[in-house]
Amino acid sequence: MTAPARPPALNSAGLSKTDYKGLPSTLCPGCGHDSISSRIIDAAFQLGLRPHSVMKLSGIGCSSKSPAYFLNAAHGINTVHGRMPSVATGAMLAQRWHTAIGVSGDGDTGSIGIGQFKHLVRRNVPMVYIIENNGVYGLTKGQFSATADEGQHLKYIGTNELPPLDLCAEAIIAGAGFVARSFAGDAKQVTELLKAAIAFRGMAVLDIVSPCVTFNNHDDSTKSYAYGKEHEVPLHDITFIPDYAEIMVDYDPGDVISVQLHDGATVQLRKLGRDYDPASRLGALALLENSKHTGELVTGLLYLDQRRPTLPEALHLPELPLALLPEDLIRPSRESLEGVMAGFA
Amino acid sequence: MTQPAPRPAAPVRPVVNDFTINVATVNGSGSQTSNATLVDALFHMGIPVNAKNIFPSNIKGLPTWYSIRVSGDGYTARRDHAEVLVAFNAKTLDQDLRELPTGGVMFYPDHLKPSAPRDDVSMYPLPVNAIMKEQNVDAKFRDRMMNMVYVGALAQVLGIEMDAILDYLNRNFAGKAKVVASNYDIARAAFEWCAANVVKTDPYSVQRMNATTGKILIDGNTAGALGAIYGGCTVVAWYPITPATSLAEGLIEWMPKLRRDPHSGANTFAIVQSEDELAAIGMLVGAGWAGARAMTSTSGPGISLMAEFAGYAYFTEIPLVVWNIQRMGPSTGLPTRVSQGDLLSTYYLSHGDTKHVVLLPGTPAECFEFGWRAFDLAEALQTPVFVNSDLDLGMNIWMSEPFAYPDRPIHRGKVLRAEDIVALGGSFARYRDEDGTGVGPRTLPGTDALGGAYFTRGTGHTDAATYSEHPEEWLKNLRRLDRKHEHARSVVPAPVISGGGARTGLINMGSTEPGIVEARALLDRAGLRTDALRVRALPFCQDVRAFIEEHEEVVVVEMNQQGQLAILLRTEYPEFATRIHSVAHCDGLPLSAAFIAARVQDALTAPQPEEVPA
Ligand SMILES: Cc1ncc(C[n+]2csc(CCOP(=O)(O)OP(=O)(O)O)c2C)c(N)n1
Ligand code: SF4
């Protein structure tokens, strides 16, 4: 006996969850990035966003491919490596009222793109900036990114001798008003943080630890995996794709848990307690500095400050987006040109 | 105001309104006001004038020259020699004097002693220190004010009207009566000293005419900025670099004056000084994708940095406008010297088979016109448009007709709105070529219709904008982009052709134009009649081919070393390769007419270039 088909639940925009789906993912099964895509879908659905008013942006990397896998009906742009921040800046100057969701990797943001990232934050472009942080370059098959742990070893690259950049600390120093860290497997926390970030009026940075199931894996193989044939999207860039289940965690504020990754390594997650005050910039930085020494990864909303004007505000842009201004507002009159010319006579 | 005092007649035939003044000063000594005063006064006496600042890449202390060409015939090209020298830089005094032609004239402070005075030039020492003392000039302003001495001296000896000088000072320092007076008093004192003491032995003088009525004096960068403003530019992202900075500064100066919403007072534009050129073009990509008219101004090193995004915008078909004010490369090169060396690098900028639309303005009026047309072209063709100006055109002051108001409404190209998508049944093919132009329809973010969104990507895609690595799809896409490039030929600015019926044709571009105009007159006098074509855009219009076909010999004149325009012409028209001769030269200075004329004659007698293999 099958249950009678129930009509899909609709949100405040009158849309169902399927309306927020994207194309089938071509990432490795079990990749943390796919969990984050699902959370973006959840958050957008729960908030009742109208997909057409969302701009999804990314750089280059496995992570940066993911905008294809959520919100099909949103306008999307997959840009060049490390430079999505400048594209997002231009797009938000042109169409200031959109919900911009940028997805980037730790290589994309922390290595090649660190300069643009810091300037994006400094300009307070109103958008959600998600870093899908796996400590490696996925798409180029396992090199160190700037967030890789000191002492970490990778098969072909050797040992990482350098300390990692903490992108949350970088964001706070550069002036971000909303800075949070989470873990891809913590569905509840990621969704809640995403909803808050989307609602935030200004630059919101979300650094989400998102394990790479393939290149955190020390197994060595040249086998190729022809997943995705039915999607007409042959995969050329991943040589070996083990099929791992997504890691899921659920824990309470204030708790610390250990999570084992697919390669056997563990991360310690500490969820910020309910009494943590995210209003203090120094407090947030101290917390991050401290967690470096304890080896824990603190998750939750680290820093919140609503006071800085956004870039469109600072530039005194009109209510009507620049891209949509009518000709009489953007082309000065014939008489005005005569006046200008008289000044050069 | 008094006119020059009567003095002994010049010993040789007078030369009226036809000479060049070379003002040698020390960079940073504040000679801009004095030089601008001279140019403006001559212009307002109705005499055609052109001014070039030959300056070093330095803020203070190095030699700088300001070359003012006075030409009753209206010629504005640089000349190889100046007859009138203002030698106010001790370090270059001797060299500058050596370069004066026989019969030339030199004005210099009497405390500077040339080590080899010449008796074949008129030497006018000026009591600069005495005048400064007598006028009680504060030591702080001495260097700067000293320059007004040569203004007064030139006025007296050459016949520049003091009224015109005062008039300029009044306009330039409007509301600052004290500044006007202090400058004018020094000029006046020098004028009077010369009237009483200089025995004029040189033949040079100016006389009022009316050849500048209705004209304006303006630099190309200001013109380009104004053009962009009248073109509805809404997003500017830029990074400082000489000689492109003054274009951005023109936008910063004029945008607030011309483009505030009268009702809300809001800016109808955004100007962002980016952290580098990569970010500048990235912002244009985002803004252009989202529907703004976005532009930047930069120069060679910035162009190099923009390569990846330029190819991205070409392939994703995002409109944007890049002004490249060319300076001398390769590398840092001569940062404050002119060149046309970026033709090939902008045309093919980025990796893979990328080919861009490049506009080549040759006058300030064209800088203005291309300023607004670049946006129409970028949006019509959905592609980056480069405007290759250069330092000479961009930073120097030129006479121009007042600019013409855009002759057509702003055109946004093939943009589908929500209702169009609905009418199409809820889908559209972003990259489908319906009309053979190679240009498909696009939607802007925010288009509120099911099926109105698409995913923009630099990776291979089908005409419906979905990811594809299929060889056939790839070829289809690139062939369409080629078609678009072909279509561009018919919509970019056509070349300007002059003359007709000669067997020899000259081809040039950009700021070599005044040199060509004058060189043709020289060649005519030497018995060589020429026609001329000035290319104003890449890809070449059909007329370019026709011109080459119609001429037995074609000489391509350009300011770079490799002959980049000639290379492109030979590549594009291999069947005519052997009749295309190249005169390519660049030493950082604008080409003079005499140089062009001589090199054109050489080129025509030189052995033919090798046949290009088929
Ligand atoms: C200019 C440029 N340099 C290098 C590359 C090659 N590349 C592609 S993805 C990538 C690293 C991606 O790593 P990350 O951002 O951490 O994302 P992940 O794949 O791990 O999700 C690199 C170096 C490129 N595409 N462009
Ligand atoms: S290589 Fe790593 S980051 Fe890339 S899709 Fe696979 S698991 Fe994800």
Side-chain angles (χ1 to χ4, degrees), chain B residues 469-482:
Chain B
E469 296 188 6
H470 200 288
E472 210 30 65
E473 292 290 356
W474 178 260
L475 287 177
K476 226 171 92 182
N477 202 22
L478 279 216
R479 282 193 203 113
R480 181 181 55 76
L481 285 170
D482 261 349

Side-chain angles (χ1 to χ4, degrees), chain B residues 274-489:
Chain B
S274 58
E275 59 270 33
D276 56 30
E277 289 85 350
L278 282 140
I281 191 170
M283 288 180 200
L284 307 191
V285 163
W289 170 68
R293 298 200 135 190
M295 68 169 283
T296 188
S297 66
T298 190
S299 194
I303 289 291
S304 300
L305 283 181
M306 291 176 181
E308 187 189 16
F309 256 133
Y312 175 87
Y314 171 82
F315 191 67
T316 54
E317 302 177 56
I318 291 174
L320 54 90
V321 174
V322 177
W323 279 75
N324 176 14
I325 315 301
Q326 296 167 95
R327 63 186 218 182
M328 186 74 130
S331 190
T332 317
L334 300 175
T336 59
R337 301 299 159 105
V338 71
S339 130
Q340 295 179 322
D342 299 349
L343 191 72
L344 292 174
S345 61
T346 42
Y347 191 38
Y348 296 124
L349 191 69
S350 200
H351 51 282
D353 292 311
T354 313
K355 267 188 294 185
H356 297 290
V357 172
V358 183
L359 306 186
L360 304 162
T363 64
E366 280 177 1
C367 287
F368 179 83
E369 186 194 334
F370 294 179
W372 60 265
R373 274 180 69 167
F375 290 115
D376 285 355
L377 282 169
E379 290 207 297
L381 296 167
Q382 296 177 9
T383 200
V385 170
F386 291 81
V387 188
N388 275 14
S389 174
D390 65 36
L391 181 142
D392 186 21
L393 178 56
M395 287 187 73
N396 288 322
I397 292 183
W398 302 81
M399 279 194 330
S400 170
E401 295 296 329
F403 304 152
Y405 196 71
D407 61 7
R408 66 200 76 162
I410 285 174
H411 190 60
R412 307 299 312 264
K414 290 180 186 165
V415 177
L416 298 179
R417 292 158 306 162
E419 51 269 37
D420 303 322
I421 301 292
V422 173
L424 286 169
S427 76
F428 80 108
R430 166 69 182 97
Y431 298 112
R432 188 164 301 156
D433 183 8
E434 300 278 10
D435 57 7
T437 61
V439 183
R442 66 176 185 142
T443 55
L444 305 183
T447 308
D448 184 8
L450 205 64
Y454 69 100
F455 194 65
T456 308
R457 46 160 59 90
T459 35
H461 44 254
T462 66
D463 66 2
T466 53
Y467 180 68
S468 170
E469 296 188 6
H470 200 288
E472 210 30 65
E473 292 290 356
W474 178 260
L475 287 177
K476 226 171 92 182
N477 202 22
L478 279 216
R479 282 193 203 113
R480 181 181 55 76
L481 285 170
D482 261 349
R483 257 194 326 274
K484 179 154 95 174
H485 196 70
E486 283 306 307
H487 167 62
R489 288 181 202 282

Side-chain angles (χ1 to χ4, degrees), chain B residues 51-107:
Chain B
K52 295 193 193 306
N53 193 4
I54 316 283
F55 63 110
S57 178
N58 147 284
I59 306 298
K60 265 194 164 121
L62 289 183
T64 175
W65 292 271
Y66 195 74
S67 164
I68 302 170
R69 177 156 189 198
V70 180
S71 168
D73 295 333
Y75 290 129
T76 55
R78 186 182 75 84
R79 288 176 72 236
D80 294 313
H81 296 287
E83 293 84 354
V84 179
L85 169 66
V86 176
F88 267 46
N89 185 348
K91 288 202 180 117
T92 63
L93 182 82
D94 287 327
Q95 177 67 28
D96 290 338
L97 174 56
R98 267 200 297 279
E99 285 174 7
L100 263 186
T102 295
V105 39
M106 164 162 160
F107 295 80

Side-chain angles (χ1 to χ4, degrees), chain B residues 143-155:
Chain B
D143 279 2
R144 191 181 322 160
M145 302 299 270
M146 200 167 88
N147 295 314
M148 288 311 287
V149 170
Y150 65 72
V151 174
L154 290 178

